[in-house]
Amino acid sequence: MSSPTQQEPASPAASPGSGHPVHGRTSLCMALPCLSSCPVGNEVPPSAQSGPEEPDAMTPTLTALLYLGLSVGPRTRVHAGTLPKPSIRAEPGTSIPWWTPMTIWCQGSLEAQEYRLLKEGHPGPWDTQKLLEPGDKVNFSIIHMTDDYAGRYRCDYLSPTNWSEPSDPLELVMTGFHGKPQLSALPSPVVASGGYVTLQCASWMTFYRFVLMKEGERQPSSTLDSQEAPSGQFQALFLVGPVTPSLRWTFRCYGYYSHSPYVWSYPSHPLELLVSGVSGKPSLLAPQGPVVTSGQNLTLQCRSDVGYDRFALSKEGAHDPPRRLGRQPQAELSGADFALGPVRPSIGGWYTCYGRHSLSSEWSAPSDPLDILVAGQLPYTPSLSVQPGPTVTSGENVTLRCQSQSAVDTFLLSKEGAAGPPLRLRSKSQTGQHQAEFSVSPVTSAHGGTYRCFGSSSTTPHLLSQPSDPLELRVSGTADTVSPPQNESAPGSASDPRDYTVENVIRMGVAAFILVVLGILLLEARHSQTRTPEAASS
């Protein structure tokens, strides 16, 4: 880019204010080999010019003039030579939101009498300030920032003798002229200490370039050309790292068009990276279970036996930064409860949580991921059946079959009250039905409970169908706690593994009671017969 036209410094052999060499005169610098520039307008007296003068008469004059040139010259060179280059800066920064006031400062020399603000592409000075008294800096105020003020600036100043060279360029950007892009971290805003992460700046607007800005820095971290993504959006992928916990890693991004490189969009929402380490990982729980329904209030609990007092919850692929909470009182555990509010389809996904001490900026290792699934989002209802039946004996083999006439990629089997994730199986097509068979072998009393199954699609793996009707599985017998499972046989056979001790004791008790009653009746009858003869003899 070309610089604005500068006024050239006056030549030492120029008349004051003319800017051109003096003609028809012979200067002292031309007549003598001076070591520094001479005062403007000094002429060689006739005694110093070539002519018929006596050599003795010329010598004192030359000596005096030579002394004058050597003594005055060095001081004059400092004054009339190259001036210090001024500096230029903008407050509160170089990226200014639309209609916001700002100031451009130009700092030069204490001898400056006038300052000029030069804008690239603008003929002549953009603004000028003449000082009543010499000063080393001035400011150029912009009351309201608009796109007219966006551009590339320099400044210079006038000393008593000439103009300085221009300052380094200042690029002044106006933001907030176009819709904001979206900034996200791939695959997650959580990065291991020393690792790298890709930040995606994307927009449906056809921006020419994207700019990544780090919080606290005046200059862009990076600028990249826009590329069309498979989704149809325009994007740029910025590689950031290595990240360290000693710094704050908060970013925003902007977009702009090729015809207006100093007029940017609104900034994206801030994205803060969370730097994780290797300290003890917490655990993440969903008290309601991992399968939830729309409208249900969802709370996730992050717990740790390490005394963390800060906790963060992150969702994979989320545009929002991780949620953060301080420690909440828990019995023998440190932890925090993250209330996510009423369930909606977008709440489904993988979650992890982290903990850290307040005196450290490094977070713990991540918890095991928790998959939150939203039921009732796909328009079909599978059916659930069990073989050999809903009531089984401990040690038997049980198969739970989930079926649907609709196209299903994956079936999920969920047990009511279970904290763990549902069982998953790929769907198989058979005789016009899509089904999956979940085998439980051997079944124990712990498998008893109420089951439901769901279907899901590979395109939306966190959204489920309507639940099947509940199926209650009842497990009878205690063989799994008394002896190893044996071959199945008919109940009541000699090899029946069930224990009849209690029943036998009851039978023996009843028989003993009957014998006692019969004994009492027999004694009563004999006693009656004895009294009858005694009565007859009397």
Side-chain angles (χ1 to χ4, degrees):
M1 297 182 183
S2 60
S3 301
T5 304
Q6 307 289 320
Q7 181 176 338
E8 296 296 334
S11 169
S15 59
S18 68
H20 299 283
V22 177
H23 298 285
R25 297 179 182 179
T26 305
S27 70
L28 178 61
C29 291
M30 294 173 65
L32 298 173
C34 295
L35 300 178
S36 61
S37 62
C38 302
V40 175
N42 284 346
E43 297 178 6
V44 178
S47 60
Q49 298 179 12
S50 60
E53 283 81 1
E54 298 289 336
D56 291 343
M58 183 174 63
T59 301
T61 303
L62 287 173
T63 304
L65 290 176
L66 180 60
Y67 175 79
L68 180 62
L70 291 172
S71 60
V72 176
R75 291 194 298 272
T76 306
R77 183 176 180 87
V78 171
H79 191 67
T82 302
L83 297 170
K85 184 168 65 174
S87 62
I88 188 170
R89 61 187 174 88
E91 288 185 354
T94 56
S95 302
I96 308 299
W98 178 80
W99 213 245
T100 300
M102 59 88 55
T103 302
I104 298 176
W105 286 89
C106 184
Q107 183 163 2
S109 167
L110 287 171
E111 297 180 350
Q113 299 173 338
E114 181 179 344
Y115 285 86
R116 297 185 304 186
L117 184 63
L118 313 168
K119 186 171 187 276
E120 191 174 85
H122 185 270
W126 179 264
D127 199 358
T128 302
Q129 287 197 30
K130 294 184 178 181
L131 305 181
L132 298 177
E133 296 181 357
D136 68 337
K137 63 181 176 181
V138 295
N139 67 75
F140 299 91
S141 296
I142 297 176
I143 299 176
H144 299 298
M145 184 66 182
T146 65
D147 56 329
D148 289 334
Y149 292 106
R152 189 179 177 98
Y153 290 87
R154 287 182 172 89
C155 71
D156 60 5
Y157 64 91
L158 177 66
S159 74
T161 57
N162 58 359
W163 287 94
S164 72
E165 63 176 305
S167 66
D168 292 332
L170 170 73
E171 294 186 342
L172 192 61
V173 169
M174 188 202 76
T175 64
F177 199 77
H178 313 294
K180 64 185 176 183
Q182 287 185 330
L183 183 62
S184 57
L186 304 176
S188 167
V190 182
V191 191
S193 181
Y196 290 79
V197 64
T198 298
L199 301 185
Q200 179 194 51
C201 189
S203 174
W204 290 106
M205 304 180 73
T206 57
F207 288 130
Y208 168 65
R209 302 201 87 188
F210 288 99
V211 181
L212 184 68
M213 297 285 293
K214 185 179 180 184
E215 189 176 273
E217 295 183 357
R218 290 180 176 268
Q219 298 300 319
S221 296
S222 184
T223 303
L224 290 176
D225 290 340
S226 171
Q227 296 180 341
E228 189 170 1
S231 63
Q233 286 186 306
F234 290 83
Q235 67 173 20
L237 301 176
F238 300 91
L239 183 64
V240 174
V243 299
T244 59
S246 59
L247 299 175
R248 187 177 178 89
W249 298 83
T250 302
F251 294 88
R252 292 176 174 83
C253 75
Y254 302 80
Y256 66 80
Y257 293 101
S258 58
H259 62 271
S260 53
Y262 299 109
V263 178
W264 294 0
S265 68
Y266 281 97
S268 67
H269 287 305
L271 174 66
E272 182 176 0
L273 301 180
L274 188 151
V275 184
S276 66
V278 295
S279 58
K281 66 181 182 182
S283 57
L284 184 61
L285 308 171
Q288 305 92 328
V291 179
V292 294
T293 56
S294 293
Q296 178 183 356
N297 284 321
L298 177 62
T299 298
L300 301 184
Q301 298 176 341
C302 190
R303 299 287 184 267
S304 175
D305 54 3
V306 180
Y308 298 129
D309 43 24
R310 294 289 184 275
F311 290 89
L313 179 71
S314 173
K315 183 186 177 187
E316 184 179 283
H319 294 294
D320 299 328
R323 297 178 179 229
R324 303 189 180 190
L325 286 177
R327 176 178 178 176
Q328 298 167 353
Q330 303 291 336
E332 300 180 359
L333 291 174
S334 63
D337 292 350
F338 294 89
L340 303 186
V343 170
R344 53 196 182 280
S346 61
I347 217 165
W350 290 99
Y351 291 82
T352 50
C353 76
Y354 305 79
R356 73 172 174 88
H357 301 285
S358 57
L359 298 179
S360 171
S361 57
E362 185 175 41
W363 294 82
S364 71
S367 68
D368 291 332
L370 174 64
D371 191 11
I372 296 298
L373 304 164
V374 184
Q377 302 303 308
L378 302 182
Y380 59 88
T381 303
S383 62
L384 181 62
S385 59
V386 60
Q387 294 294 331
T391 302
V392 294
T393 303
S394 217
E396 287 191 70
N397 295 328
V398 173
T399 299
L400 295 165
R401 181 181 294 119
C402 196
Q403 290 180 311
S404 175
Q405 292 184 347
S406 301
V408 180
D409 292 325
T410 304
F411 284 104
L412 296 90
L413 182 67
S414 172
K415 182 183 177 185
E416 192 174 278
L423 300 176
R424 292 174 178 262
L425 280 179
R426 294 289 297 174
S427 170
K428 295 181 180 180
S429 180
Q430 186 174 354
T431 63
Q433 291 269 9
H434 294 269
Q435 69 177 30
E437 294 185 345
F438 298 87
S439 296
V440 183
S441 176
V443 72
T444 69
S445 57
H447 293 114
T450 301
Y451 291 82
R452 292 178 175 85
C453 81
F454 305 83
S456 76
S457 168
S458 58
T459 57
T460 54
H462 305 291
L463 302 182
L464 307 183
S465 69
Q466 300 287 339
S468 68
D469 291 334
L471 185 149
E472 185 178 0
L473 181 65
R474 296 182 294 273
V475 182
S476 64
T478 56
D480 55 296
T481 60
V482 176
S483 60
Q486 301 178 20
N487 295 330
E488 293 182 13
S489 58
S493 66
S495 60
D496 190 354
R498 287 179 292 183
D499 192 346
Y500 294 96
T501 303
V502 176
E503 297 177 24
N504 292 335
V505 168
I506 293 174
R507 292 190 185 97
M508 292 176 65
V510 171
F513 176 75
I514 293 174
L515 289 174
V516 170
V517 171
L518 290 175
I520 293 173
L521 292 176
L522 182 59
L523 290 174
E524 181 67 24
R526 291 183 62 183
H527 182 66
S528 299
Q529 292 176 356
T530 304
R531 287 186 300 173
T532 301
E534 291 178 352
S537 61
S538 60

